[in-house]
C-alpha cells in the first residue's frame, strides 16, 4: 500500500469512529443528566402533577414551591441556612489553601530530619478512616465546651488536616523546577517570598482545584454538622434540607423539597462553571497517580 | 546556611504537626482506649476489658449483620462504580471537537453526587409513586416497592453509590491524559487492535490509578453513612443498616461511646486489613513506569 491510500483509509476510519464516539457521548450524557432536567421541570409542578406525569414540562408553572420552600416550615428561612453554610465553608476553604500550601512547600522544597517518616504519615492519614477518630474528637470538643459551634467543623483545616490536598499540592509543586526558586534566592528573596511570589502564582490551577473540591465537599458535608450542631439557627443547608423532609410528618411537599434541593446545588454549580477549565488542568497537572 | 534551611522547613510544617497530633494521633489512640470502657458522657469512663468486643459478636443482634450488609454494599458498589468511572473517563479522553462541553456536562452530576440534596432527590425518584415507577408504568410494567423490600432498598443505595463516580472519574481521566500518545501510535503502526491497545497499554499504564481509586473507594463505601441515613434509614427490617449508621446510633443516640469506639475499631481493622492486602498484592499487578518512585 502506498502512503496515500493508507492516509485515505485512516481518515475514513477516523470519521466513522468519531461519529460513533459522539453518539456514545450524547447517549451517556442524556442518561446521566435527564433525571436532573426532569427534577428541574418537576420543581415547577404542583405536588399532584409530580406524581402524575413523566413529562419534563409542567402543565402550569407554579412558582410557589420555591417561595414556600425557601420560607421552610421552621422559624428560619433558607437565607439563614445559606449564610450558615458560607460561614463554615468559606473560612474552611481559605484555611485549607494556606495550611496545605505551607505543608506542601515544606515537603517539596526543604530537607529536614525525619522528612520521609513525616511524609509517610501524610499518606497514612490519607487512608485513615474517619470513623475511627470521630467519637474521641466529639468527646474532646465536648470537654472544651465547643459543641454547637462552628469551631469543630473548621479547626482541622487550620492545621492542614486535609491529606488529599496536601498530597495533591506536593505532586504539583514537585513538577515546578527548582531553578525558579534558585533564581529568586539570587534576587534576595526569603523562603516566604519564594512561596508567595514565585510558586503560588504558578500553582494557580492546582490551588483552584483545592478551592473547588473543598468548597463542594464542605457544602456536601452532612455527618459533621449533624453530629456537632444542635440549634436550628446554626444549621447549614445540608441539614436544613433533611429537616424539610422530616418537618411535615406524613405529608412531604415534594415540589418544595425538590425546589430547595436544586437551589442547594446552585453555589457548587456556579463555582464549578467559573473554574472548570482551570480545574481540569489542575487535576491533570497535579498528576494524581496514587 | 544548610542548618538554617533545615530549621525553616520544619517551621512551615508546624501547623500540620500540631494538627496531626491533636486531630489524628490523639483521637486514634484514645478511641482504642475508650473501646475498653463504658462511657456515657455523664459518669467517668469505666474500664470493662474486652466486654464491648465480646458483646458485639455475641449478644448484639445488629453488629454482625451490619458488617455483612456493609460488605455486601461495598462489594456491589465499588467494582461497578470504578468500571463506570473508567468507561466515562475513557470516552471523555476522546480527541474530538467540543469534548470540553461533554467533560463539563459529565462533571455536573458527578460533582453533585455526594450532596444531601441528591440523596433526598434519590429518595423521591424511587418513591412508590416516584419517577422510576412512573416510567415503568408508562412502559406497561408494575410499580416496584423500591424502598419497601430489603433487596430493592439495597439496590437503590448501590445505584446511588455507583452514580457517585465523580472523583474516581476525574482521577482516571487525569491518568489517561498522561499516557504518551506515541505509545498508542507505535502500537497502531504495529497493527494492534483497539481492544488489544486498551488492555495491553492503557490498563497497565493506569494500574497505579486503579489501585489508588480502589483503596479510596473501598475506604469510602465501608464507611458509607449519608445514603442509608437519608434514604432508607437502615430499613426495611435493618437490611440497609450499615455499620456506620449503627456506630452513629450507639454513640449519639444511646450515648454508648465506648461501645461505639469498639465497633469503629473493628471496622477500622477490616479496612486496614483489606488495604494492606491490596498493598501486598500491588507489586504483582500495579505497574510503575518510574520504578516505584511516585
Amino acid at each position: 500500500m502506498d502512503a496515500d491510500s493508507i492516509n485515505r483509509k485512516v481518515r475514513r476510519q477516523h470519521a466513522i469512529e468519531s461519529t460513533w464516539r459522539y453518539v456514545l457521548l450524547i447517549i451517556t450524557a442524556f442518561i446521566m443528566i435527564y433525571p436532573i432536567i426532569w427534577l428541574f421541570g418537576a420543581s415547577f409542578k404542583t405536588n399532584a402533577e409530580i406524581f402524575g406525569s413523566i413529562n419534563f414540562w409542567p402543565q402550569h408553572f407554579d412558582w410557589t414551591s420555591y417561595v414556600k420552600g425557601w420560607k421552610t416550615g421552621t422559624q428560619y428561612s433558607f437565607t439563614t441556612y445559606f449564610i450558615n453554610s458560607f460561614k463554615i465553608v468559606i473560612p474552611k476553604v481559605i484555611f485549607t489553601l494556606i495550611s496545605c500550601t505551607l505543608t506542601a512547600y515544606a515537603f517539596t522544597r526543604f530537607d529536614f530530619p525525619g522528612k520521609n517518616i513525616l511524609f509517610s504519615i501524610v499518606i497514612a492519614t490519607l487512608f485513615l478512616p474517619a470513623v475511627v477518630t470521630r467519637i474521641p474528637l466529639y468527646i474532646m470538643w465536648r470537654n472544651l465546651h465547643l459543641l454547637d459551634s462552628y469551631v469543630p467543623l473548621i479547626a482541622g483545616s487550620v492545621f492542614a488536616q486535609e491529606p488529599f490536598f496536601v498530597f495533591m499540592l506536593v505532586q504539583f509543586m514537585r513538577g515546578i523546577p527548582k531553578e525558579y526558586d534558585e533564581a529568586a534566592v539570587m534576587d534576595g528573596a526569603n523562603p516566604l517570598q519564594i512561596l508567595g511570589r514565585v510558586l503560588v502564582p504558578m500553582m494557580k490551577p492546582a490551588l483552584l482545584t483545592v478551592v473547588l473540591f473543598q468548597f463542594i465537599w464542605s457544602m456536601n458535608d452532612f455527618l459533621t454538622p449533624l453530629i456537632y450542631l444542635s440549634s436550628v439557627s446554626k444549621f447549614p443547608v445540608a441539614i436544613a434540607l433533611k429537616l424539610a423532609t422530616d418537618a411535615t410528618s406524613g405529608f412531604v411537599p415534594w415540589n418544595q423539597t425538590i425546589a430547595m434541593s436544586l437551589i442547594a446545588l446552585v453555589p457548587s454549580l456556579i463555582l464549578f462553571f467559573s473554574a472548570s477549565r482551570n480545574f481540569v488542568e489542575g487535576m491533570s497537572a497535579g498528576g494524581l497517580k496514587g | 546556611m544548610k542548618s538554617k534551611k533545615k530549621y525553616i522547613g520544619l517551621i512551615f510544617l508546624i501547623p500540620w504537626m500540631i494538627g496531626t497530633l491533636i486531630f489524628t494521633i490523639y483521637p486514634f489512640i484514645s478511641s482504642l482506649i475508650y473501646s475498653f470502657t463504658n462511657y456515657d458522657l455523664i459518669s467517668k469512663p469505666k474500664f470493662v476489658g474486652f466486654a464491648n468486643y465480646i458483646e458485639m459478636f455475641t449478644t448484639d443482634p445488629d453488629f454482625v449483620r451490619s458488617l455483612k450488609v456493609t460488605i455486601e454494599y461495598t462489594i456491589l458498589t465499588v467494582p461497578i462504580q470504578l468500571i463506570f468511572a473508567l468507561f466515562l473517563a475513557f470516552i471523555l479522553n476522546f480527541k474530538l471537537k467540543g469534548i470540553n462541553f461533554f467533560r463539563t456536562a459529565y462533571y455536573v452530576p458527578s460533582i453533585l453526587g455526594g450532596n444531601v440534596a441528591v440523596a433526598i432527590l434519590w429518595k423521591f425518584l424511587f418513591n412508590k409513586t416516584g419517577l422510576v415507577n412512573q416510567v415503568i408504568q408508562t412502559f406497561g410494567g408494575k410499580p416496584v416497592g423500591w424502598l419497601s423490600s430489603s433487596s430493592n432498598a439495597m439496590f437503590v443505595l448501590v445505584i446511588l453509590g455507583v452514580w457517585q463516580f465523580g472523583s474516581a472519574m476525574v482521577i482516571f481521566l487525569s491518568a489517561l491524559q498522561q499516557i504518551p500518545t506515541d505509545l498508542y501510535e507505535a502500537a497502531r503502526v504495529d497493527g494492534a487492535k483497539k481492544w488489544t491497545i486498551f488492555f495491553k497499554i492503557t490498563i497497565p499504564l493506569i494500574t497505579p490509578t486503579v489501585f489508588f481509586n480502589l483503596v479510596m473507594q473501598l475506604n469510602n463505601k465501608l464507611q458509607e453513612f449519608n445514603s442509608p441515613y437519608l434514604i432508607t434509614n437502615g430499613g426495611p427490617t435493618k437490611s440497609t443498616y450499615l455499620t456506620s449508621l449503627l456506630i452513629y446510633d450507639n454513640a449519639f443516640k444511646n450515648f454508648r461511646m465506648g461501645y461505639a469506639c469498639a465497633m469503629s475499631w473493628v471496622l477500622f481493622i477490616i479496612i486496614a486489613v483489606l488495604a494492606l492486602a491490596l498493598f501486598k498484592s500491588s507489586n504483582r499487578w500495579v505497574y510503575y513506569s518510574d520504578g516505584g518512585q511516585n
Side-chain angles (χ1 to χ4, degrees), chain A residues 98-115:
Chain A
I98 298 170
S99 66
C100 292
T101 306
L102 285 176
T103 310
Y105 184 48
F107 278 122
T108 43
R109 290 306 204 248
F110 298 95
D111 267 321
F112 44 82
K115 182 170 148 178

Side-chain angles (χ1 to χ4, degrees), chain A residues 211-221 268 271-272, chain B residues 111:
Chain A
V211 171
L212 187 73
F213 269 35
Q214 182 67 310
F215 185 91
I216 291 171
W217 288 347
S218 311
M219 278 302 272
N220 290 354
D221 187 16
S268 300
L271 190 70
F272 171 71
Chain B
I111 270 175

Side-chain angles (χ1 to χ4, degrees), chain B residues 274-292:
Chain B
L274 260 176
L276 278 179
L278 279 172
F279 271 108
K280 284 264 181 243
S281 77
S282 70
N283 53 14
R284 271 192 245 147
W285 61 275
V286 176
Y287 169 81
Y288 287 104
S289 52
D290 44 3

Side-chain angles (χ1 to χ4, degrees), chain A residues 140-152:
Chain A
M140 179 183 92
W141 291 117
R142 186 176 177 276
N143 292 339
L144 294 170
H145 303 287
L146 284 167
L147 293 186
D148 204 23
S149 80
Y150 296 149
V151 177

Side-chain angles (χ1 to χ4, degrees), chain B residues 38-67:
Chain B
N38 274 345
Y39 184 34
D40 59 3
L41 293 178
I42 300 163
S43 41
K44 283 220 159 70
K46 205 176 110 223
F47 182 76
V48 292
F50 282 93
N52 287 329
Y53 291 93
I54 293 165
E55 180 185 343
M56 73 179 85
F57 285 107
T58 54
T59 50
D60 190 326
D62 290 330
F63 184 68
V64 174
R65 176 180 43 208
S66 86
L67 280 184

Side-chain angles (χ1 to χ4, degrees), chain B residues 233-271:
Chain B
N233 204 7
T237 59
K238 300 191 175 175
S239 58
T240 56
Y241 200 27
L242 302 191
T243 306
S244 279
L245 200 53
L246 179 66
I247 293 173
Y248 172 85
D249 283 345
N250 268 297
F252 302 107
K253 283 191 179 150
N254 307 335
F255 298 105
R256 297 190 62 191
M257 295 294 166
Y259 192 44
C261 280
M263 285 180 172
S264 60
W265 261 84
V266 173
L267 186 58
F268 165 68
I269 288 166
I270 291 172
I271 294 172

